[in-house]
Amino acid sequence: MNILEFLVKPPELFSYNIKKLDDISGSFNGITTSFSITSNSTAVTPPSSQSLIVNLGGVIQDPSDDYSVSGSNLIFSTAPVNGLSFSGVSLGPAI
């Protein structure tokens, strides 16, 4: 694809791999660190932790320190406590 094709392609052609992750905060208990990654109840398997944007309690988490990914599991360094909010986005496969 040349630069002109890139510039004239509609944005929806580039966003099909971006997925909003399902809310896992209902499972937070201060003990569990590993959670299934899903979007619309379908497993998501990101290529790396850098392929996710994870927000806990309004704070964007650092993929190098705060969490990792193993298959379709999100593993936090510290177990999230009950009542903490969660939101996440998968940016899709590596290009």
Side-chain angles (χ1 to χ4, degrees):
M1 173 183 302
N2 67 42
I3 189 69
L4 183 57
E5 290 173 320
F6 178 81
L7 293 174
V8 298
K9 294 269 187 198
E12 63 270 9
L13 293 179
F14 297 104
S15 62
Y16 71 96
N17 283 323
I18 297 174
K19 297 177 181 168
K20 180 180 182 228
L21 302 181
D22 294 337
D23 186 0
I24 57 174
S25 63
S27 299
F28 293 168
N29 60 12
I31 299 169
T32 305
T33 57
S34 182
F35 302 88
S36 295
I37 306 170
T38 58
S39 177
N40 292 321
S41 300
T42 301
V44 173
T45 306
S48 71
S49 57
Q50 287 78 18
S51 297
L52 298 179
I53 298 173
V54 174
N55 180 319
L56 283 181
V59 178
I60 300 295
Q61 302 299 293
D62 183 344
S64 299
D65 297 324
D66 300 323
Y67 65 92
S68 61
V69 169
S70 178
S72 60
N73 289 307
L74 176 61
I75 305 162
F76 290 104
S77 302
T78 302
V81 296
N82 184 27
L84 200 58
S85 64
F86 170 87
S87 63
V89 175
S90 171
L91 301 175
I95 298 174

Coordinates of all heavy atoms in Angstrom, one line a residue:
M1 N 0.9 -1.2 0.0 CA 0.0 0.0 0.0 C 0.9 1.2 0.0 O 1.8 1.4 0.8 CB -0.9 0.0 1.3 CG -1.7 1.2 1.5 SD -2.7 1.3 3.0 CE -3.7 -0.1 2.8
N2 N 0.6 2.1 -0.9 CA 1.4 3.4 -0.9 C 0.8 4.4 0.0 O -0.3 4.2 0.5 CB 1.6 3.9 -2.4 CG 0.3 4.4 -3.0 OD1 -0.5 5.0 -2.4 ND2 0.1 4.0 -4.3
I3 N 1.4 5.5 0.2 CA 1.0 6.5 1.1 C -0.4 7.1 0.7 O -1.2 7.4 1.5 CB 2.0 7.6 1.4 CG1 1.6 8.6 2.5 CG2 2.3 8.4 0.1 CD1 1.6 7.9 3.8
L4 N -0.6 7.3 -0.6 CA -1.9 7.8 -1.0 C -3.0 6.9 -0.7 O -4.1 7.3 -0.2 CB -1.8 8.1 -2.5 CG -3.1 8.8 -3.1 CD1 -3.4 10.1 -2.4 CD2 -2.9 9.0 -4.6
E5 N -2.8 5.6 -1.0 CA -3.9 4.6 -0.6 C -4.2 4.6 0.9 O -5.3 4.6 1.3 CB -3.4 3.2 -1.0 CG -3.4 3.0 -2.5 CD -2.8 1.6 -2.9 OE1 -1.9 1.2 -2.2 OE2 -3.4 1.0 -3.8
F6 N -3.1 4.7 1.7 CA -3.3 4.8 3.1 C -4.1 6.0 3.5 O -5.0 5.9 4.4 CB -1.9 4.9 3.8 CG -2.0 5.0 5.3 CD1 -2.2 3.8 6.1 CD2 -1.8 6.2 5.9 CE1 -2.2 3.9 7.5 CE2 -1.9 6.3 7.3 CZ -2.1 5.2 8.1
L7 N -3.8 7.2 2.9 CA -4.5 8.4 3.3 C -6.0 8.4 2.9 O -6.8 9.1 3.5 CB -3.8 9.6 2.7 CG -2.4 9.9 3.3 CD1 -1.7 11.0 2.5 CD2 -2.5 10.2 4.8
V8 N -6.3 7.7 1.8 CA -7.7 7.8 1.3 C -8.6 6.6 1.8 O -9.8 6.6 1.6 CB -7.8 7.9 -0.2 CG1 -7.1 9.2 -0.7 CG2 -7.2 6.7 -0.9
K9 N -8.0 5.6 2.5 CA -8.8 4.5 3.0 C -9.7 5.0 4.1 O -9.2 5.8 5.0 CB -7.9 3.4 3.5 CG -7.1 2.7 2.4 CD -7.8 1.6 1.9 CE -6.9 0.8 0.9 NZ -7.7 0.0 0.1
P10 N -10.9 4.6 4.2 CA -11.8 5.0 5.3 C -11.2 4.4 6.6 O -10.6 3.3 6.6 CB -13.1 4.3 5.0 CG -13.0 3.8 3.6 CD -11.6 3.7 3.2
P11 N -11.4 5.2 7.7 CA -10.8 4.7 9.0 C -11.3 3.4 9.5 O -10.6 2.7 10.2 CB -11.3 5.8 10.0 CG -11.7 7.0 9.1 CD -12.0 6.5 7.8
E12 N -12.5 3.0 9.1 CA -13.1 1.7 9.6 C -12.3 0.6 9.1 O -12.3 -0.5 9.7 CB -14.6 1.6 9.3 CG -14.9 1.5 7.8 CD -15.2 2.9 7.2 OE1 -14.9 3.9 7.9 OE2 -15.6 3.0 6.0
L13 N -11.5 0.7 8.0 CA -10.7 -0.4 7.5 C -9.5 -0.6 8.4 O -8.9 -1.7 8.3 CB -10.2 -0.1 6.1 CG -11.3 -0.1 5.0 CD1 -10.8 0.2 3.6 CD2 -12.1 -1.4 5.0
F14 N -9.1 0.3 9.2 CA -8.0 0.2 10.1 C -8.3 -0.1 11.5 O -7.5 -0.4 12.3 CB -7.1 1.5 10.0 CG -6.5 1.7 8.6 CD1 -7.1 2.7 7.8 CD2 -5.5 0.9 8.2 CE1 -6.6 2.9 6.6 CE2 -5.0 1.2 6.9 CZ -5.5 2.2 6.1
S15 N -9.6 -0.1 11.8 CA -10.0 -0.2 13.2 C -10.6 -1.6 13.5 O -11.1 -1.8 14.6 CB -10.9 0.9 13.7 OG -12.1 0.9 12.9
Y16 N -10.7 -2.5 12.5 CA -11.4 -3.7 12.7 C -10.8 -4.6 13.7 O -11.4 -5.5 14.3 CB -11.6 -4.5 11.4 CG -10.3 -5.0 10.8 CD1 -10.0 -6.4 11.0 CD2 -9.5 -4.3 10.0 CE1 -8.9 -6.9 10.5 CE2 -8.3 -4.8 9.5 CZ -8.0 -6.1 9.7 OH -6.9 -6.7 9.2
N17 N -9.5 -4.5 14.0 CA -8.8 -5.3 15.0 C -8.9 -4.8 16.4 O -8.5 -5.4 17.4 CB -7.4 -5.6 14.6 CG -7.2 -6.6 13.5 OD1 -8.0 -7.6 13.5 ND2 -6.3 -6.4 12.6
I18 N -9.3 -3.5 16.6 CA -9.4 -2.9 17.9 C -10.6 -3.4 18.5 O -11.7 -3.3 18.0 CB -9.3 -1.4 17.8 CG1 -8.0 -0.9 17.2 CG2 -9.6 -0.7 19.1 CD1 -7.9 0.6 16.9
K19 N -10.5 -3.9 19.8 CA -11.6 -4.5 20.5 C -11.7 -4.0 21.9 O -10.7 -4.0 22.6 CB -11.5 -6.0 20.5 CG -11.5 -6.7 19.1 CD -11.4 -8.2 19.2 CE -11.4 -8.7 17.8 NZ -10.9 -10.1 17.8
K20 N -12.9 -3.6 22.3 CA -13.1 -3.2 23.7 C -13.2 -4.5 24.5 O -14.0 -5.5 24.1 CB -14.4 -2.5 23.8 CG -14.7 -2.0 25.2 CD -16.0 -1.3 25.3 CE -16.2 -0.9 26.8 NZ -17.5 -1.1 27.2
L21 N -12.5 -4.6 25.6 CA -12.5 -5.8 26.4 C -13.7 -5.9 27.3 O -14.1 -4.8 27.8 CB -11.2 -5.9 27.2 CG -9.9 -6.0 26.4 CD1 -8.7 -6.1 27.3 CD2 -9.9 -7.1 25.3
D22 N -14.2 -7.1 27.6 CA -15.3 -7.2 28.6 C -14.8 -6.8 29.9 O -13.6 -7.0 30.3 CB -15.7 -8.7 28.6 CG -16.4 -9.1 27.3 OD1 -16.9 -8.2 26.5 OD2 -16.4 -10.3 27.0
D23 N -15.7 -6.3 30.7 CA -15.4 -5.8 32.1 C -15.2 -7.1 33.0 O -16.0 -7.9 33.1 CB -16.5 -5.0 32.6 CG -16.3 -4.4 34.0 OD1 -15.2 -4.6 34.5 OD2 -17.2 -3.7 34.5
I24 N -14.0 -7.1 33.6 CA -13.7 -8.2 34.5 C -13.7 -7.8 36.0 O -13.4 -8.6 36.9 CB -12.3 -8.8 34.2 CG1 -11.2 -7.8 34.2 CG2 -12.3 -9.5 32.8 CD1 -9.8 -8.3 34.0
S25 N -14.1 -6.6 36.3 CA -14.0 -6.0 37.6 C -14.9 -6.8 38.6 O -14.6 -6.8 39.8 CB -14.3 -4.6 37.7 OG -15.6 -4.3 37.3
G26 N -15.9 -7.5 38.1 CA -16.7 -8.2 39.0 C -16.0 -9.4 39.7 O -16.5 -10.0 40.7
S27 N -14.9 -9.8 39.1 CA -14.1 -10.9 39.7 C -13.0 -10.5 40.5 O -12.2 -11.3 41.1 CB -13.5 -11.8 38.5 OG -14.6 -12.3 37.7
F28 N -12.8 -9.2 40.7 CA -11.7 -8.7 41.5 C -12.0 -9.0 43.0 O -13.1 -8.7 43.5 CB -11.5 -7.1 41.3 CG -11.0 -6.7 40.0 CD1 -11.1 -5.4 39.6 CD2 -10.5 -7.6 39.1 CE1 -10.6 -5.0 38.4 CE2 -10.1 -7.3 37.8 CZ -10.1 -5.9 37.5
N29 N -11.0 -9.5 43.7 CA -11.2 -9.9 45.1 C -9.9 -9.7 45.9 O -9.9 -10.0 47.1 CB -11.6 -11.4 45.2 CG -10.6 -12.3 44.6 OD1 -9.4 -12.0 44.3 ND2 -11.0 -13.6 44.5
G30 N -8.9 -9.1 45.3 CA -7.6 -8.9 46.1 C -6.7 -10.1 46.2 O -5.7 -10.0 46.8
I31 N -7.2 -11.2 45.6 CA -6.4 -12.4 45.7 C -6.0 -12.9 44.3 O -4.9 -13.2 44.0 CB -7.1 -13.5 46.5 CG1 -7.4 -13.1 47.9 CG2 -6.4 -14.9 46.4 CD1 -8.4 -14.0 48.7
T32 N -7.0 -13.0 43.4 CA -6.8 -13.5 42.1 C -6.1 -12.5 41.2 O -6.3 -11.3 41.2 CB -8.2 -13.8 41.4 OG1 -8.9 -14.6 42.3 CG2 -8.1 -14.4 40.0
T33 N -5.1 -13.0 40.5 CA -4.3 -12.1 39.6 C -4.5 -12.4 38.1 O -4.1 -11.6 37.3 CB -2.8 -12.3 39.9 OG1 -2.4 -13.6 39.8 CG2 -2.4 -11.8 41.3
S34 N -5.0 -13.6 37.8 CA -5.2 -14.0 36.4 C -6.7 -14.0 36.0 O -7.5 -14.6 36.6 CB -4.6 -15.4 36.2 OG -4.7 -15.8 34.8
F35 N -6.9 -13.4 34.8 CA -8.3 -13.2 34.3 C -8.3 -13.5 32.8 O -7.4 -13.1 32.1 CB -8.8 -11.8 34.6 CG -8.8 -11.4 36.0 CD1 -7.6 -10.9 36.6 CD2 -9.9 -11.6 36.9 CE1 -7.6 -10.5 37.9 CE2 -9.8 -11.3 38.2 CZ -8.7 -10.7 38.7
S36 N -9.4 -14.1 32.4 CA -9.6 -14.4 30.9 C -9.8 -13.1 30.2 O -10.6 -12.2 30.7 CB -10.8 -15.3 30.7 OG -10.5 -16.6 31.3
I37 N -9.2 -12.9 29.1 CA -9.4 -11.8 28.2 C -10.5 -12.1 27.2 O -10.3 -13.0 26.4 CB -8.1 -11.4 27.5 CG1 -6.9 -11.2 28.5 CG2 -8.3 -10.1 26.7 CD1 -5.6 -11.0 27.8
T38 N -11.6 -11.4 27.2 CA -12.6 -11.6 26.2 C -13.2 -10.2 25.7 O -13.0 -9.2 26.4 CB -13.8 -12.4 26.9 OG1 -14.3 -11.7 28.0 CG2 -13.4 -13.8 27.3
S39 N -13.8 -10.3 24.6 CA -14.5 -9.2 24.0 C -15.8 -9.8 23.4 O -15.7 -10.7 22.6 CB -13.6 -8.6 22.9 OG -14.3 -7.5 22.2
N40 N -16.9 -9.2 23.9 CA -18.2 -9.8 23.5 C -18.2 -11.3 23.8 O -18.7 -12.1 22.9 CB -18.5 -9.5 22.0 CG -18.7 -8.0 21.8 OD1 -19.3 -7.4 22.6 ND2 -18.2 -7.5 20.6
S41 N -17.7 -11.7 24.9 CA -17.7 -13.1 25.4 C -16.8 -14.0 24.5 O -16.9 -15.2 24.7 CB -19.1 -13.6 25.6 OG -19.8 -12.8 26.5
T42 N -16.0 -13.5 23.6 CA -15.2 -14.3 22.8 C -13.7 -14.1 23.2 O -13.3 -12.9 23.4 CB -15.3 -13.9 21.3 OG1 -16.7 -14.1 20.9 CG2 -14.4 -14.7 20.4
A43 N -13.0 -15.2 23.4 CA -11.6 -15.1 23.8 C -10.7 -14.2 22.9 O -10.9 -14.2 21.7 CB -11.0 -16.5 23.9
V44 N -9.9 -13.4 23.5 CA -9.0 -12.5 22.8 C -7.6 -13.0 23.2 O -7.3 -13.1 24.4 CB -9.2 -11.0 23.2 CG1 -8.1 -10.2 22.6 CG2 -10.5 -10.6 22.8
T45 N -6.7 -13.2 22.2 CA -5.3 -13.6 22.5 C -4.4 -12.6 21.9 O -4.0 -12.7 20.7 CB -5.1 -15.0 21.9 OG1 -6.0 -15.9 22.3 CG2 -3.7 -15.5 22.2
P46 N -4.0 -11.6 22.6 CA -3.1 -10.6 22.1 C -1.7 -11.1 22.0 O -1.3 -12.0 22.7 CB -3.1 -9.5 23.2 CG -3.6 -10.1 24.4 CD -4.4 -11.3 24.0
P47 N -0.9 -10.6 21.0 CA 0.5 -11.1 20.8 C 1.4 -10.7 22.0 O 2.4 -11.4 22.2 CB 0.9 -10.5 19.5 CG 0.0 -9.3 19.3 CD -1.3 -9.6 20.0
S48 N 1.1 -9.7 22.7 CA 1.9 -9.3 23.8 C 1.1 -8.3 24.7 O 0.1 -7.8 24.4 CB 3.2 -8.5 23.3 OG 2.8 -7.2 22.8
S49 N 1.7 -8.0 25.9 CA 1.0 -7.1 26.8 C 1.0 -5.7 26.2 O 0.1 -4.9 26.6 CB 1.7 -7.1 28.2 OG 3.1 -6.8 28.1
Q50 N 1.9 -5.4 25.4 CA 1.9 -4.0 24.8 C 0.8 -3.9 23.8 O 0.5 -2.7 23.3 CB 3.3 -3.8 24.0 CG 4.4 -3.5 25.0 CD 5.0 -4.8 25.6 OE1 4.8 -5.9 25.2 NE2 5.7 -4.6 26.7
S51 N 0.1 -4.9 23.4 CA -1.0 -4.9 22.5 C -2.3 -4.5 23.2 O -3.4 -4.5 22.6 CB -1.2 -6.2 21.7 OG -0.1 -6.4 21.0
L52 N -2.3 -4.3 24.5 CA -3.4 -4.0 25.3 C -3.3 -2.6 26.0 O -2.1 -2.2 26.3 CB -3.7 -5.0 26.5 CG -3.9 -6.4 26.1 CD1 -4.1 -7.3 27.4 CD2 -5.2 -6.6 25.2
I53 N -4.4 -1.9 26.2 CA -4.4 -0.7 27.0 C -5.3 -1.1 28.2 O -6.5 -1.5 27.9 CB -4.9 0.5 26.3 CG1 -4.0 0.8 25.1 CG2 -5.1 1.7 27.2 CD1 -4.5 1.9 24.2
V54 N -4.8 -1.1 29.4 CA -5.5 -1.6 30.5 C -5.6 -0.4 31.5 O -4.6 0.3 31.8 CB -4.8 -2.8 31.2 CG1 -5.5 -3.1 32.5 CG2 -4.8 -4.0 30.3
N55 N -6.9 -0.2 32.0 CA -7.2 0.9 32.9 C -7.8 0.3 34.2 O -8.8 -0.4 34.1 CB -8.1 1.9 32.3 CG -8.5 3.1 33.1 OD1 -8.7 2.9 34.3 ND2 -8.6 4.2 32.5
L56 N -7.1 0.5 35.3 CA -7.7 0.1 36.6 C -7.9 1.3 37.5 O -7.0 2.1 37.7 CB -6.7 -0.8 37.3 CG -6.5 -2.3 36.9 CD1 -5.5 -3.0 37.8 CD2 -7.9 -3.0 36.9
G57 N -9.1 1.5 37.9 CA -9.5 2.6 38.8 C -9.1 3.9 38.2 O -8.8 4.8 39.0
G58 N -9.2 4.1 36.9 CA -8.9 5.3 36.2 C -7.5 5.6 36.0 O -7.1 6.6 35.5
V59 N -6.6 4.6 36.2 CA -5.2 4.7 36.0 C -4.7 3.7 34.9 O -4.9 2.5 35.0 CB -4.4 4.5 37.3 CG1 -2.9 4.6 37.0 CG2 -4.8 5.4 38.4
I60 N -4.1 4.3 33.8 CA -3.6 3.4 32.8 C -2.4 2.6 33.3 O -1.5 3.2 34.0 CB -3.1 4.2 31.5 CG1 -4.3 5.0 31.0 CG2 -2.5 3.3 30.5 CD1 -5.4 4.2 30.4
Q61 N -2.5 1.3 33.1 CA -1.4 0.4 33.7 C -0.3 0.3 32.7 O -0.4 0.3 31.5 CB -2.0 -1.0 34.0 CG -3.2 -0.9 34.9 CD -2.8 -0.4 36.3 OE1 -2.1 -1.0 37.0 NE2 -3.3 0.8 36.6
D62 N 0.9 0.1 33.3 CA 2.1 -0.1 32.5 C 2.3 -1.6 32.1 O 2.4 -2.4 33.0 CB 3.3 0.4 33.3 CG 4.7 0.3 32.6 OD1 4.7 -0.4 31.5 OD2 5.6 0.9 33.0
P63 N 2.3 -1.9 30.8 CA 2.4 -3.3 30.4 C 3.8 -3.9 30.8 O 3.9 -5.2 30.8 CB 2.2 -3.3 28.9 CG 2.5 -1.9 28.5 CD 2.2 -1.0 29.7
S64 N 4.8 -3.1 31.1 CA 6.1 -3.7 31.5 C 6.1 -4.1 32.9 O 6.8 -5.0 33.3 CB 7.2 -2.7 31.2 OG 7.2 -2.4 29.8
D65 N 5.3 -3.4 33.8 CA 5.4 -3.6 35.2 C 4.1 -4.1 35.9 O 4.2 -4.9 36.8 CB 5.7 -2.3 35.9 CG 7.1 -1.8 35.6 OD1 8.0 -2.6 35.3 OD2 7.3 -0.5 35.5
D66 N 3.0 -3.7 35.4 CA 1.7 -3.9 36.1 C 0.9 -5.2 35.6 O 0.1 -5.7 36.4 CB 0.8 -2.7 35.9 CG 1.4 -1.4 36.5 OD1 2.1 -1.5 37.5 OD2 1.2 -0.3 35.9
Y67 N 1.2 -5.6 34.4 CA 0.5 -6.8 33.9 C 1.3 -7.5 32.8 O 2.2 -6.9 32.2 CB -0.9 -6.5 33.5 CG -1.0 -5.6 32.2 CD1 -1.0 -6.1 31.0 CD2 -1.0 -4.2 32.4 CE1 -1.1 -5.3 29.8 CE2 -1.1 -3.4 31.3 CZ -1.1 -3.9 30.0 OH -1.2 -3.1 28.9
S68 N 0.9 -8.7 32.6 CA 1.5 -9.5 31.5 C 0.3 -10.3 30.8 O -0.8 -10.3 31.3 CB 2.6 -10.4 31.9 OG 2.1 -11.4 32.9
V69 N 0.6 -10.9 29.7 CA -0.3 -11.7 29.0 C 0.2 -13.1 28.8 O 1.4 -13.2 28.4 CB -0.6 -11.0 27.6 CG1 -1.5 -11.9 26.7 CG2 -1.4 -9.7 27.8
S70 N -0.6 -14.1 29.0 CA -0.3 -15.5 28.7 C -1.5 -16.1 27.9 O -2.5 -16.3 28.5 CB 0.0 -16.2 29.9 OG 0.3 -17.6 29.6
G71 N -1.3 -16.2 26.6 CA -2.4 -16.7 25.8 C -3.6 -15.7 25.9 O -3.4 -14.6 25.6
S72 N -4.7 -16.2 26.3 CA -5.9 -15.3 26.5 C -6.1 -15.0 27.9 O -7.3 -14.7 28.3 CB -7.1 -15.9 25.8 OG -7.4 -17.1 26.5
N73 N -5.1 -14.9 28.7 CA -5.2 -14.5 30.1 C -4.4 -13.2 30.4 O -3.2 -13.1 29.9 CB -4.6 -15.6 31.0 CG -5.6 -16.8 31.1 OD1 -6.8 -16.6 31.3 ND2 -5.1 -18.0 30.8
L74 N -5.0 -12.3 31.2 CA -4.4 -11.1 31.6 C -3.9 -11.4 33.1 O -4.7 -11.8 33.9 CB -5.4 -10.0 31.6 CG -5.0 -8.6 32.1 CD1 -3.8 -8.0 31.4 CD2 -6.2 -7.7 32.0
I75 N -2.6 -11.2 33.3 CA -2.1 -11.5 34.7 C -1.5 -10.2 35.3 O -0.6 -9.6 34.8 CB -1.0 -12.6 34.6 CG1 -1.6 -13.8 33.9 CG2 -0.4 -12.9 35.9 CD1 -0.5 -14.7 33.3
F76 N -2.2 -9.8 36.4 CA -1.7 -8.6 37.1 C -0.6 -8.9 38.0 O -0.6 -9.9 38.7 CB -2.9 -7.9 37.8 CG -3.9 -7.3 36.9 CD1 -5.1 -8.0 36.7 CD2 -3.7 -6.1 36.3 CE1 -6.1 -7.5 35.9 CE2 -4.7 -5.6 35.5 CZ -5.9 -6.3 35.3
S77 N 0.3 -8.0 38.2 CA 1.4 -8.1 39.1 C 0.9 -8.1 40.6 O 1.4 -8.8 41.4 CB 2.4 -7.0 39.0 OG 2.9 -6.9 37.7
T78 N -0.1 -7.3 40.8 CA -0.8 -7.2 42.1 C -2.3 -7.4 41.9 O -2.9 -6.9 41.0 CB -0.6 -5.8 42.7 OG1 0.8 -5.5 42.8 CG2 -1.2 -5.7 44.1
A79 N -2.8 -8.3 42.7 CA -4.3 -8.6 42.6 C -5.2 -7.4 42.7 O -5.0 -6.7 43.8 CB -4.7 -9.7 43.6
P80 N -6.0 -7.1 41.8 CA -6.9 -6.0 41.9 C -8.0 -6.2 43.0 O -8.5 -7.4 43.2 CB -7.6 -5.9 40.6 CG -6.9 -6.8 39.6 CD -6.2 -7.8 40.5
V81 N -8.3 -5.2 43.8 CA -9.2 -5.4 44.9 C -10.7 -5.2 44.5 O -10.9 -4.5 43.5 CB -8.9 -4.4 46.1 CG1 -7.5 -4.7 46.6 CG2 -8.9 -2.9 45.6
N82 N -11.6 -5.7 45.2 CA -13.0 -5.6 45.0 C -13.4 -4.1 45.0 O -12.9 -3.3 45.8 CB -13.8 -6.3 46.1 CG -15.3 -6.3 45.9 OD1 -15.7 -6.2 44.7 ND2 -16.0 -6.3 46.9
G83 N -14.2 -3.7 44.0 CA -14.6 -2.3 43.9 C -13.8 -1.5 42.9 O -14.2 -0.4 42.6
L84 N -12.7 -2.0 42.5 CA -11.8 -1.3 41.5 C -12.4 -1.4 40.1 O -12.9 -2.5 39.7 CB -10.4 -1.9 41.5 CG -9.3 -1.1 41.0 CD1 -9.1 0.2 41.7 CD2 -8.0 -1.9 41.1
S85 N -12.5 -0.3 39.4 CA -13.0 -0.4 38.0 C -12.0 -0.9 37.0 O -10.8 -0.9 37.3 CB -13.5 1.0 37.6 OG -12.4 1.9 37.5
F86 N -12.5 -1.4 35.9 CA -11.6 -2.0 34.8 C -12.2 -1.5 33.5 O -13.4 -1.5 33.2 CB -11.6 -3.5 34.9 CG -10.9 -4.1 33.7 CD1 -9.6 -4.3 33.6 CD2 -11.7 -4.5 32.5 CE1 -8.9 -4.8 32.5 CE2 -11.1 -5.0 31.4 CZ -9.7 -5.2 31.4
S87 N -11.3 -1.2 32.6 CA -11.6 -1.1 31.2 C -10.4 -1.4 30.4 O -9.2 -1.3 30.9 CB -12.1 0.3 30.8 OG -11.1 1.3 31.0
G88 N -10.6 -1.9 29.2 CA -9.4 -2.3 28.4 C -9.7 -2.4 27.0 O -10.9 -2.5 26.6
V89 N -8.7 -2.3 26.2 CA -8.8 -2.3 24.7 C -7.6 -3.2 24.2 O -6.5 -3.1 24.6 CB -8.6 -0.9 24.1 CG1 -8.6 -0.9 22.6 CG2 -9.8 0.0 24.6
S90 N -8.0 -4.0 23.3 CA -7.0 -4.8 22.5 C -6.7 -4.1 21.2 O -7.7 -3.8 20.5 CB -7.5 -6.2 22.3 OG -6.6 -6.9 21.4
L91 N -5.5 -3.8 20.9 CA -5.1 -3.1 19.7 C -5.0 -4.0 18.5 O -4.6 -3.5 17.4 CB -3.9 -2.2 20.0 CG -4.0 -1.2 21.1 CD1 -2.6 -0.6 21.3 CD2 -5.1 -0.2 20.8
G92 N -5.1 -5.3 18.7 CA -5.1 -6.2 17.6 C -3.7 -6.8 17.5 O -2.8 -6.6 18.3
P93 N -3.5 -7.6 16.4 CA -2.2 -8.3 16.2 C -1.1 -7.3 15.8 O -1.4 -6.2 15.3 CB -2.5 -9.2 15.0 CG -3.6 -8.6 14.3 CD -4.4 -7.8 15.3
A94 N 0.1 -7.7 16.0 CA 1.3 -6.9 15.6 C 1.3 -6.8 14.1 O 0.9 -7.7 13.4 CB 2.6 -7.6 16.2
I95 N 1.8 -5.7 13.7 CA 1.9 -5.5 12.2 C 3.4 -5.6 11.8 O 4.2 -5.1 12.4 CB 1.3 -4.1 11.8 CG1 -0.2 -4.1 12.2 CG2 1.5 -3.8 10.3 CD1 -0.9 -2.8 11.9

